[in-house]
């Protein structure tokens, strides 16, 4: 392995070679499958690989890929296992759905599939997307390709690790509080969480419906723009889907940031941020200034309360969404003497400890007598955070911060301390509460040789601007490090 096989290239590069007729979708698929075979025993990104299906699809879409009409045709992808795929097991990383085979495709995959995309398989994740390290999966942890003793981040850890290891060209994840951006940062790839409602949630198995978004893992910002162009746009199957036409997000990638006002989030470069992360982000900000952007400081004064508000709102919604796993309709059933005992046994055996913790927290926060003090209060904080962003975007075009306060941490390091784990998302959660788009791009390596992620945030539906700035900075930084595992 060298890091420059077909499976290591960007989708942009592969697409142009496909259109030129230099390569075929089958060759790309074989390259990814070979990489999975060589590395996935160590990385463990995939829960359900679909090699036969991928080979068959590669042959079927060969002509479409050559025609060049769809940006995703002929390019293999991995999907987080919370996105439903018709006829293919979808577990949510949970025992309770271990054998669940959905009868329908999520809209995100349906659109990609119609565009000639090729599914490589379903990726591991924290159970029901609750976690920041992938250690809450019922099927074991994922290992970060940069250092197998460390976590890939979570909850979309399998998708992030697969793209970092060359096991997939790109992948989809979901981001409710940071689950695309944080693992992207820890694995040295690009992670985009679009505006809430821009990509349909139909078929995204719900965790916290007012926060859940589908997001992308790619090797470049241009690839993210390409994927979003196919994924975006109104879907009548999702009531929260925005009334936006699909558009070509690559058109705005001009490389130009001159005169743009960039606000550095003051609260995000202080206490608790590792020195390697701080210096990586600081020097990237200097480079952005060098490109002609105007840099200033900005405050999100209520961001300090975002984590607390999130850990009331997300568990509350989760406690309601996960009530459907009752042993009656789908998934696991553990028999009991009556229906109540059956449900208790099913849920007791089917859910892991973190999911149970969230259900209990959420049930408590929503219960009569506590509702106003907890859930109601958290919703008010959410409004204050939305206003913080509105104020910040009155003076700045985009905001910048680290994606995560630390680089990849060791497997097991935070499993006994839920609060330490929750803090991994302190910089990503505010964007979910406000519904604004944000992206993480790699901006360097720390002293341990682990990737550092930089987060850019834009106003609602500011994807074009967000991607333009991210793309310009990506070119300027020219981050081209590859995990040692891939270099061989
Ligand atoms: N780590 C956060 C949580 O555990 C965010 C998860 C997510 O975005 N799905 O809730």
């Amino acid at each position: 392995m060298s890091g420059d096989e077909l499976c290591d290239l960007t989708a942009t590069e592969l697409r142009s070679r496909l259109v030129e007729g230099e390569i075929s979708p089958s060759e790309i698929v074989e390259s990814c499958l070979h990489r999975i075979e060589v590395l996935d025993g160590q990385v463990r990104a995939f829960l359900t690989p679909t090699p036969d299906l991928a080979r068959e699809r590669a042959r079927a879409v060969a002509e479409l890929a050559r025609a060049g009409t769809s940006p995703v045709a002929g390019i293999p992808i991995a999907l987080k296992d919370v996105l439903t795929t018709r006829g293919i097991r979808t577990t949510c990383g949970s025992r309770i759905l271990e054998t669940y085979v959905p009868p329908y495709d999520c809209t995100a995959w349906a659109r990609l599939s119609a565009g000639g995309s090729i599914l490589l398989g379903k990726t591991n994740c924290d159970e029901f997307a609750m976690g920041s390290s992938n250690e809450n999966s019922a099927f074991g942890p994922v290992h970060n390709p940069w250092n197998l003793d460390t976590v890939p981040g979570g909850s979309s850890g399998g998708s992030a690790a697969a793209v970092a290891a060359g096991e997939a060209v790109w992948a989809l994840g979901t981001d409710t509080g940071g689950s695309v951006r944080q693992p992207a940062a820890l694995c040295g790839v690009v992670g985009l969480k679009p505006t809430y409602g821009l990509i349909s949630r139909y078929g995204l198995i719900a965790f916290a419906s007012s926060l859940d978004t589908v997001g992308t893992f790619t090797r470049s910002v241009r690839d993210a723009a390409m994927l979003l162009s196919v994924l975006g746009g109104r879907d009548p199957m999702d009531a929260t889907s925005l009334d936006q036409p699909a558009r070509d997000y690559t058109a705005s990638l001009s490389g130009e940031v001159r005169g743009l006002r960039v606000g550095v989030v003051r609260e995000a470069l202080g206490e608790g941020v590792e020195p390697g992360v701080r210096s990586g982000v600081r020097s990237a900000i200097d480079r952005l200034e060098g490109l002609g952007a105007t840099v200033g400081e900005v405050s999100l004064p209520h961001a300090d309360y975002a984590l607390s508000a999130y850990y009331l709102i997300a568990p509350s919604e989760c406690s309601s969404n996960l009530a459907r796993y009752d042993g009656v309709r789908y998934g696991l059933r553990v028999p009991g003497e009556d229906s109540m005992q059956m449900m208790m046994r099913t849920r007791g055996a089917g859910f892991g400890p973190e999911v149970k913790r969230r259900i209990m927290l959420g049930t408590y926060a929503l219960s009569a007598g506590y509702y106003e003090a907890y859930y109601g209060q958290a919703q008010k904080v959410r409004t204050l955070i939305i206003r913080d962003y509105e104020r910040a975007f009155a003076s700045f075009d985009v905001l910048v911060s680290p994606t995560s306060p630390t680089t990849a941490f060791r497997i097991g390091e935070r499993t006994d301390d839920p609060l330490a784990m929750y803090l991994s998302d302190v910089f990503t959660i505010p964007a979910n509460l406000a519904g604004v788009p944000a992206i993480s791009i790699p901006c360097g390596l720390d002293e341990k040789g682990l990737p550092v992620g930089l987060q850019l945030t834009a106003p609602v539906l500011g994807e074009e601007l967000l991607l333009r700035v991210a793309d310009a900075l990506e070119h300027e930084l020219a981050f081209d490090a590859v995990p040692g595992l891939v270099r061989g």
Side-chain angles (χ1 to χ4, degrees), residues 168-186:
V169 177
W170 50 16
L172 295 189
T174 60
D175 191 313
T176 303
S179 280
V180 164
R181 290 160 288 156
Q182 185 258 13
L186 271 48

Side-chain angles (χ1 to χ4, degrees), residues 191-221:
L192 170 68
K193 178 209 98 73
T195 300
Y196 179 81
L198 186 59
I199 300 180
S200 168
R201 289 183 299 112
Y202 180 68
L204 189 192
I205 296 180
F207 159 17
S209 309
S210 78
L211 300 158
D212 290 343
T213 56
V214 175
T216 62
F217 292 96
T218 56
R219 300 212 179 97
S220 75
V221 175

Side-chain angles (χ1 to χ4, degrees), residues 80 128-132 154-155 174-180 207 212 310-311 314 354 358 421-422 425 429 432:
K80 182 180 186 180
F128 285 100
M130 295 171 201
S132 309
S155 63
T174 60
D175 191 313
T176 303
S179 280
V180 164
F207 159 17
D212 290 343
Y310 173 87
Y311 276 99
E354 182 62 26
R358 304 277 179 117
M421 191 70 88
Y422 294 173
D425 300 298
I429 279 174
N432 296 83

Side-chain angles (χ1 to χ4, degrees), residues 70-375:
S70 157
V72 299
I75 302 171
I77 195 164
L79 302 181
K80 182 180 186 180
D81 212 17
V82 298
L83 295 163
T84 62
T85 39
R86 184 154 56 99
I88 300 163
R89 183 174 86 122
T90 301
T91 68
C92 291
S94 181
R95 289 272 168 233
I96 212 155
L97 289 178
E98 191 169 2
T99 57
Y100 173 62
V101 178
Y104 70 108
D105 280 330
C106 65
T107 295
W109 170 239
R111 288 189 179 174
L112 292 175
S113 176
S117 176
I118 300 168
L119 180 66
L120 286 166
K122 307 295 294 287
T123 55
N124 202 345
C125 57
D126 284 296
E127 188 174 4
F128 285 100
M130 295 171 201
S132 309
S133 69
N134 218 114
E135 291 165 294
N136 295 334
S137 167
F139 309 111
V142 172
H143 299 258
N144 189 321
W146 289 85
N147 176 342
L148 293 170
D149 296 328
T150 66
V151 304
S155 63
S156 317
S159 286
V163 175
E167 297 179 12
V169 177
W170 50 16
L172 295 189
T174 60
D175 191 313
T176 303
S179 280
V180 164
R181 290 160 288 156
Q182 185 258 13
L186 271 48
C187 289
V189 298
V190 175
L192 170 68
K193 178 209 98 73
T195 300
Y196 179 81
L198 186 59
I199 300 180
S200 168
R201 289 183 299 112
Y202 180 68
L204 189 192
I205 296 180
F207 159 17
S209 309
S210 78
L211 300 158
D212 290 343
T213 56
V214 175
T216 62
F217 292 96
T218 56
R219 300 212 179 97
S220 75
V221 175
R222 180 169 289 274
D223 281 10
M226 248 158 77
L227 256 187
L228 184 62
S229 306
V230 175
L231 293 167
R234 163 114 188 112
D235 176 16
M237 298 303 280
D238 172 3
T240 60
S241 163
L242 296 175
D243 195 8
Q244 289 288 315
R247 62 182 71 175
D248 177 6
Y249 290 93
T250 60
S252 57
L253 307 181
S254 61
E256 195 47 72
V257 294
R258 206 163 291 280
L260 282 182
R261 299 160 305 165
V262 175
V264 180
V265 182
R266 185 184 309 139
E267 292 80 6
L269 280 167
E271 216 188 320
V273 180
E274 282 179 355
V277 171
R278 195 177 303 142
S279 64
V281 172
R282 280 248 176 254
S283 72
I285 294 169
D286 291 343
R287 305 280 288 272
L288 203 49
E289 202 165 14
L291 290 175
T294 317
V295 175
E297 254 200 17
V298 65
S299 172
L300 297 173
H302 299 95
D304 272 358
Y305 306 103
L307 198 69
S308 313
Y310 173 87
Y311 276 99
L312 288 166
I313 296 169
S316 296
E317 295 183 17
C318 129
S319 71
S320 150
N321 275 325
L322 271 59
R324 73 190 69 176
Y325 305 104
D326 54 8
V328 176
R329 285 168 291 184
Y330 28 62
L332 181 75
R333 174 184 301 174
V334 182
E337 292 187 353
D338 53 29
S339 57
M340 186 56 84
Q341 197 182 54
M342 182 278 288
M343 275 182 213
M344 285 168 67
R345 285 186 180 167
T346 299
R347 290 168 69 83
F351 290 136
E354 182 62 26
V355 171
K356 286 178 182 160
R357 180 179 302 125
R358 304 277 179 117
I359 292 174
M360 288 189 284
L361 278 171
T363 307
Y364 187 78
L366 291 178
S367 53
Y370 295 105
Y371 185 93
E372 256 318 304
Y374 293 113
Y375 187 73

